Amino acid sequence: MLLHVPPAPAPALRSVLTALGSPTAVQEARTPSLRAAQGPATAELPLPVHILDAITPAGASATRLAGWRFLIRCGERAVAAADTMLTPDGWAFSHFFEGPYIAATERALRQAEAVTQPYQARLLSVPKLYMLTLWLHGDCAADGATGSLAPTDLLVPLAPAPPGIAAHRPHRVADLLPVLTLRMTPAPLLGSPA
């Protein structure tokens, strides 16, 4: 397999496993499919979640690590995900959730496994566009918690993607960034100087 998944920090994984083993955490989660799951649940495919807040005229601003996301699998399919966050005391469990991004993440990862070039898998969130992408970073040896978008990296928008951006279609960063820039730049107000 040419898709590399960076190792998650051990405390992040421990916090998710502790939450999975806690009947209270699972029952209080707003994830009916996790509460109803039969059999043991496992935390798999840890992906660092990076945030892209702004794009400058020179290109993408640096991303920042927001946490690690683990797919929660019961049997043959992922039923939920668990997010962790960095606190002053280290990595801690944040919450369980479910929704369309779970299946979309699995689908994008399966598609990425067919790519002939090696990539490191990450997630990139663009909050201003309500957009989540699978980020295929070209430097497989890089620390998954750091790094910037490279023009040759691939971004695979997850469904639901913003209108006009095709979900599950790989885009080179150099090609998608101009589209994102236009969408993230506010339009001038009517009557204001251009």
Side-chain angles (χ1 to χ4, degrees), residues 52 54-55 60 124-126 128-129 131 133 149 155 157 162 165 171-173 175-186:
L52 178 63
I55 301 173
L124 179 69
S125 173
V126 186
K128 289 183 180 177
L129 299 178
M131 180 178 179
T133 70
L149 291 165
L155 296 176
I165 297 176
H171 302 270
R172 285 185 47 239
V173 166
D175 299 333
L176 188 58
L177 215 52
V179 174
L180 299 181
T181 302
L182 287 175
R183 293 185 175 221
M184 290 176 71
T185 305

Side-chain angles (χ1 to χ4, degrees), residues 3 23 34 67 72 78 96 154 166:
L3 189 63
L34 180 60
I72 306 301
F96 292 115
L154 296 178

Side-chain angles (χ1 to χ4, degrees), residues 18-128:
T18 299
L20 273 175
S22 165
T24 304
V26 171
Q27 290 304 317
E28 289 181 1
R30 287 181 248 166
T31 53
S33 58
L34 180 60
R35 288 195 308 263
Q38 300 295 318
T42 58
E44 298 179 357
L45 291 169
L47 296 171
V49 180
H50 292 261
I51 305 288
L52 178 63
D53 289 316
I55 301 173
T56 67
S61 66
T63 64
R64 63 182 168 83
L65 181 67
W68 285 80
R69 178 166 297 163
F70 297 79
L71 292 181
I72 306 301
R73 185 170 304 282
C74 289
E76 293 297 312
R77 66 182 191 88
V79 296
D83 275 357
T84 63
M85 62 183 181
L86 191 57
T87 69
D89 295 325
W91 287 101
F93 170 75
S94 174
H95 62 280
F96 292 115
F97 68 95
E98 61 184 51
Y101 286 132
I102 307 302
T105 301
E106 280 194 305
R107 177 180 171 186
L109 287 166
R110 280 193 309 271
Q111 288 176 303
E113 288 177 345
V115 175
T116 57
Q117 180 178 340
Y119 285 104
Q120 183 187 81
R122 303 170 175 204
L123 292 173
L124 179 69
S125 173
V126 186
K128 289 183 180 177

